[in-house]
Amino acid sequence: MKECPNCHELVDNSVKICFNCHYDFSLGRVVDSSRIAEERRNEVLRIQQLKENQREEIKKGTCYT
């Protein structure tokens, strides 16, 4: 466990951004919550696109999973 230097919340050692105050441990500062939401949306869209591509490959018979 580690302590967030901004809000003093205890978080797991693997946490990159504090869930309480959005402190980014790698940047050493609080990040804008709208930026976090946008990054999460982009990641969801990327994963959805990968799954769609995989489904298309399976339909074509070119996927070797």
Side-chain angles (χ1 to χ4, degrees):
M1 297 294 284
K2 61 185 176 183
E3 183 178 308
C4 174
N6 186 60
C7 70
H8 306 288
E9 184 74 39
L10 285 179
V11 296
D12 190 73
N13 287 332
S14 63
V15 169
K16 296 177 183 174
I17 297 176
C18 177
F19 63 88
N20 188 46
C21 70
H22 304 291
Y23 179 87
D24 187 317
F25 287 90
S26 63
L27 296 176
R29 63 182 174 84
V30 174
V31 292
D32 181 23
S33 60
S34 63
R35 180 178 153 241
I36 293 169
E38 181 179 347
E39 287 178 9
R40 287 180 182 158
R41 276 192 302 275
N42 289 340
E43 182 65 11
V44 167
L45 291 173
R46 187 185 71 78
I47 291 169
Q48 287 173 341
Q49 186 61 51
L50 286 172
K51 288 181 179 182
E52 180 61 30
N53 292 347
Q54 201 172 41
R55 281 193 289 273
E56 290 298 318
E57 288 179 12
I58 290 170
K59 285 180 187 176
K60 293 177 186 176
T62 59
C63 184
Y64 305 103
T65 58

